[in-house]
């Protein structure tokens, strides 16, 4: 498709093209058209520094697509510092020179409750509970679609354009 896709991770253990952090990529100024940052900012002690880095490396008019958990279990890999609301993600983007073009919540109240139930069941049953996890997750997803409520959501995602 003509895209040059490079991955960045805190280690090269899993085949990342670049080793660095969201707040210190090592990339040149205005060198990328798009930053895709999924489920990372909660692991960053200072997500505002990551946003500052994204602004630095994204070309004017380029994009950042970011997703963060809102309701999720504690998962320190290596640390787990934040949960972000839709308003919080919008603020982070705007504060660092991005115009939010689209902001979405993913998974509403019922999906979040099903996720919490599955985490509790996993603690009790371990991997043996996999069939039950599938039933709870699928039921939660179906009910979540039938009874949408974005106030207690699993995830927040946005597409934001870097301003000049």
């Amino acid at each position: 498709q003509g895209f040059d896709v490079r991955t960045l991770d805190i280690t090269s253990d899993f085949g990342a093209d670049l080793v660095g952090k969201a707040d210190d990529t090592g990339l040149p100024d205005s060198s990328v058209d798009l930053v895709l940052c999924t489920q990372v900012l909660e692991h960053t002690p200072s997500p505002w520094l990551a946003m500052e880095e994204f602004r630095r490396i994204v070309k004017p008019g380029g994009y950042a697509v970011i997703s963060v958990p809102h309701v999720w279990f504690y998962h320190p890999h290596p640390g787990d510092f934040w949960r972000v609301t839709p308003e919080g993600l919008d603020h982070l983007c705007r504060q660092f020179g991005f115009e939010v073009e689209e902001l979405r919540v993913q998974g509403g109240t019922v999906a979040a409750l099903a996720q919490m139930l599955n985490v509790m069941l996993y603690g009790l049953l371990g991997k043996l509970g996999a069939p039950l996890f599938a039933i709870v997750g699928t039921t939660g997803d179906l009910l979540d679609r039938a009874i949408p409520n974005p106030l207690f959501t699993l995830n927040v995602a946005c597409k934001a354009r870097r301003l000049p």
Side-chain angles (χ1 to χ4, degrees):
Q1 298 291 329
F3 296 106
D4 177 23
V5 177
R6 292 176 285 167
T7 57
L8 178 126
D9 205 336
I10 58 174
T11 176
S12 61
D13 293 349
F14 302 103
D17 300 310
L18 306 166
V19 175
K21 296 182 178 181
D23 58 5
D24 185 15
T25 64
L27 293 168
D29 293 355
S30 299
S31 61
V32 300
D33 295 305
L34 170 72
V35 164
L36 175 62
C37 180
T38 61
Q39 311 310 95
V40 172
L41 291 183
E42 75 272 19
H43 299 289
T44 305
S46 303
W48 44 90
L49 296 179
M51 293 302 299
E52 189 173 275
E53 178 73 350
F54 298 165
R55 176 163 173 47
R56 186 186 69 76
I57 66 172
V58 172
K59 296 174 185 174
Y63 287 89
V65 175
I66 302 167
S67 67
V68 291
H70 178 73
V71 174
W72 205 252
F73 58 93
Y74 175 65
H75 58 290
H77 302 288
D80 188 5
F81 300 96
W82 308 100
R83 295 297 176 268
V84 181
T85 65
E87 186 177 29
L89 185 55
D90 182 83
H91 177 75
L92 266 176
C93 288
R94 292 180 192 283
Q95 182 180 10
F96 290 97
F98 287 90
E99 176 183 25
V100 175
E101 292 186 351
E102 191 171 349
L103 184 68
R104 292 185 180 193
V105 295
Q106 300 165 317
T109 301
V110 180
L113 290 171
Q115 172 66 24
M116 290 190 310
L117 179 59
N118 271 342
V119 169
M120 183 185 77
L121 289 171
Y122 183 79
L124 295 171
L125 304 173
K127 292 179 183 177
L128 296 175
L132 184 57
F133 307 152
I135 292 167
V136 170
T138 301
T139 303
D141 185 47
L142 292 172
L143 287 173
D144 196 66
R145 292 170 197 229
I147 312 166
N149 181 348
L151 297 178
F152 192 61
T153 182
L154 288 172
N155 206 51
V156 182
C158 78
K159 178 179 95 172
R161 186 175 58 84
R162 183 183 181 268
L163 299 172

